């Protein structure tokens, strides 16, 4: 449940952090998808005692909540792509890179390092080790290791590596002018790398071990991000499609997601995991096309926005919170325990949203304004 205190209108939040400035008009459909993604992830990671007490069919649904991460990737690729394919900054490559990375890193890094510090302080505060902790967490390299703590950070590594490479390709290599299908090439590369990785894995690994080795490394999981960039590149075309055609994309996208879960998940130890990531990227792309223009009634928009705006913090903080529930034996009726877990996660996220994220976004906007003013001064002197 969302915190009762209202949130000020922030810079638009992407799944794991949004690229859009505060003045951008929010899109309700993207907020819905973002809220669905974080609630799915929280359902998957909910306290075990509450999940195990649920009816079998509900547990089965919660067990598929991990797909929220792949939905986040598609959303993130689309939102970042809108920035990359928007108006180019005057001042050439350096100005464009500086603006892009300032927007991204002032949005993602401050809260990440606050949460990382909380994990690093666990031995002194809670008497429990930060298992596997080390310098690689500061450089976003932990997705190439055997993660045992702060496990959800693997997806942040994928995102940060993508934030580093995408503007270099778009602004440095002329990617803004590439034909749209060129942005699908990394999907094929990731697919081939997963095939290769699967062929080299030792026999006898269980499904979860196979899945981790296929999905955590960055270059094996570019499908959703690049699918989102492709959607951003082609948006002027599909945004003109009639509502019925876009709705059909949504139906086909949902059917694709369900089919991939039904066909590939039982075969993760074979080739199911190789194809699953690509199939989810395709399916969620169809859903984004269908949902992007959705407009919500005012009464519904507020709670959806609350959950969407807190999604980044919730993704970072749910690990310590679920462990607190499990280690302290916090239990009750399953529904109440789940609501308490959701409320606690969003409440902590709200606190750091106000204390960390919002001040950093305001600082980011001031820095961007200074960059623009500096360019004007240089132009005036040169003129």
């Amino acid at each position: 449940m969302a915190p009762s205190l209202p949130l000020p209108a922030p810079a638009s939040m992407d799944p794991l952090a949004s690229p859009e400035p505060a003045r951008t008009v929010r899109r309700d459909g993207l907020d819905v998808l973002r809220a669905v993604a974080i609630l799915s992830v929280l359902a998957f990671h909910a306290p075990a005692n509450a999940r195990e007490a649920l009816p079998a069919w509900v547990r089965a649904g919660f067990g598929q909540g991990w797909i929220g991460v792949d939905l986040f990737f598609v959303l993130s690729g689309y939102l970042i792509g809108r920035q990359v394919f928007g108006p180019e900054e005057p001042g050439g490559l350096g100005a464009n890179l500086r603006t892009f990375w300032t927007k991204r890193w002032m949005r993602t890094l401050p809260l990440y390092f606050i949460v990382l510090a909380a994990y690093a302080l666990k031995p002194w505060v809670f008497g429990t080790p930060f298992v596997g902790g080390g310098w690689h967490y500061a450089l976003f390299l932990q997705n190439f290791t055997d993660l045992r703590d702060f496990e959800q950070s693997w997806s942040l590594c994928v995102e940060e590596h993508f934030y580093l490479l995408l503007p270099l390709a778009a602004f440095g290599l002329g990617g803004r002018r590439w034909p749209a299908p060129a942005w699908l090439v990394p999907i094929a590369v990731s697919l081939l790398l997963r095939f290769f990785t699967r062929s080299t894995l030792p026999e006898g690994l269980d499904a979860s071990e196979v899945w981790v080795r296929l999905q955590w490394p960055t270059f094996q999981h570019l499908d959703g991000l690049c699918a989102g960039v492709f959607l951003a590149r082609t948006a002027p075309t599909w945004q003109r499609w009639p509502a019925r055609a876009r709705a059909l994309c949504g139906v086909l996208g949902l059917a694709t997601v369900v089919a991939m879960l039904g066909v590939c998940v039982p075969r993760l130890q074979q080739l199911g995991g190789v194809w699953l990531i690509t199939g989810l990227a395709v399916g969620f792309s169809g859903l984004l096309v269908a949902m992007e223009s959705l407009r919500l009634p005012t009464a519904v928009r507020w709670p959806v926005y609350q959950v969407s705006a807190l999604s980044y913090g919730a993704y970072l903080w749910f690990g310590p919170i679920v462990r607190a529930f499990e280690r302290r034996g916090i239990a009750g009726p399953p529904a109440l325990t789940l609501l308490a877990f959701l409320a606690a996660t969003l409440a902590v996220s709200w606190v750091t949203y106000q204390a960390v994220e919002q001040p950093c976004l305001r600082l980011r906007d001031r820095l961007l304004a200074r960059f623009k003013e500096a360019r004007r001064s240089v132009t005036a002197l040169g003129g």
Side-chain angles (χ1 to χ4, degrees):
M1 70 199 303
S4 59
L5 295 174
L7 292 169
S12 179
M13 309 247 329
D14 83 14
L16 297 175
S18 118
E20 299 177 80
R23 296 170 293 281
T24 301
V25 176
R26 297 190 66 87
R27 295 181 181 268
D28 293 349
L30 301 184
D31 278 339
V32 170
L33 292 176
R34 193 178 297 113
V36 168
I38 189 58
L39 292 175
S40 298
V41 171
L42 294 180
F44 179 72
H45 291 282
N49 56 358
R51 280 187 289 114
E52 290 165 2
L54 294 170
W57 65 271
V58 179
R59 288 201 308 274
F62 276 36
Q64 305 303 323
W66 56 268
I67 66 174
V69 174
D70 288 273
L71 176 53
F72 275 146
F73 281 147
V74 174
L75 281 163
S76 188
Y78 176 65
L79 291 167
I80 296 165
R82 280 168 49 181
Q83 179 183 331
V84 164
F85 298 122
E88 192 165 358
E89 293 284 330
L93 175 62
N96 281 285
L97 293 177
R98 181 177 61 180
T99 297
F100 182 93
W101 286 331
T102 298
K103 287 181 177 180
R104 297 311 315 122
W105 288 337
M106 287 299 291
R107 178 67 193 86
T108 60
L109 297 187
L111 185 57
Y112 170 80
F113 281 109
I114 291 291
V115 177
L116 181 59
Y119 274 91
L121 291 172
K122 282 198 322 176
W124 294 273
V125 178
F126 300 106
T128 58
F130 180 16
V131 181
W135 60 267
H136 51 291
Y137 278 84
L139 298 179
F140 293 94
L141 296 175
Q142 63 266 36
N143 63 322
F144 296 105
T145 68
D146 186 19
L147 271 172
R148 295 299 181 195
D149 217 344
F150 200 7
E151 286 189 15
Q152 71 270 31
S153 65
W154 74 265
S155 65
L156 301 178
C157 297
V158 175
E159 292 247 1
E160 293 300 334
H161 300 159
F162 194 68
Y163 298 157
L164 182 65
L165 297 176
L166 176 65
L168 293 174
F171 300 117
L173 301 179
R176 284 164 50 91
R177 298 184 297 275
W178 294 348
W183 293 102
L184 299 178
V185 172
I187 298 178
V189 172
S190 286
L191 185 63
L192 290 173
L193 287 174
R194 290 196 299 274
F195 267 110
F196 174 77
T197 298
R198 181 63 194 91
S199 69
T200 61
L201 291 180
E203 296 298 325
L205 294 178
D206 63 31
S208 63
E209 290 177 309
V210 171
W211 181 231
V212 160
R213 298 190 189 196
L214 291 178
Q215 73 162 343
W216 282 3
T218 298
F219 296 107
Q220 293 175 196
H221 210 135
L222 295 175
D223 310 55
L225 288 162
C226 289
V229 172
F230 173 79
L231 290 179
R233 181 70 173 82
T234 57
T237 299
W238 55 260
Q239 286 176 340
R240 294 196 300 266
W241 290 353
R244 186 172 297 180
R246 295 179 66 173
L248 178 61
C249 286
V251 171
L252 294 175
L254 181 59
T256 301
V257 171
V258 172
M260 296 306 293
L261 292 176
V263 173
C264 294
V265 170
R267 297 172 175 81
L268 286 179
Q269 289 171 290
Q270 291 80 48
L271 293 178
V274 172
W275 290 103
L276 180 55
I277 296 172
T278 302
L280 292 176
V282 171
F284 287 136
S285 295
L287 285 173
L288 190 151
V289 168
M291 295 286 292
E292 195 252 6
S293 61
L294 177 69
R295 295 294 178 264
L296 295 174
T298 303
V300 178
R301 181 181 298 125
W302 186 85
V304 168
Y305 167 70
Q306 296 275 307
V307 176
S308 170
L310 296 173
S311 60
Y312 184 49
Y315 189 81
L316 289 172
W317 283 119
F318 76 75
I321 293 170
V322 73
R323 287 181 183 175
F325 270 70
E326 292 176 346
R327 288 175 178 168
R328 293 182 178 273
I330 299 174
L336 290 180
T337 303
L338 292 173
L339 285 175
F341 166 62
L342 178 61
T345 303
L346 293 181
V348 172
S349 304
W350 182 84
V351 170
T352 53
Y353 183 82
Q354 299 292 339
V356 179
E357 295 178 71
Q358 280 289 290
C360 289
L361 290 176
R362 289 192 289 269
L363 175 59
R364 179 196 68 178
D365 289 343
R366 289 196 295 271
L367 288 173
L368 293 173
R370 285 187 184 180
F371 296 161
K372 186 174 292 188
E373 184 61 34
R375 285 196 300 271
R376 286 176 182 165
S377 300
V378 170
T379 302
L381 290 173

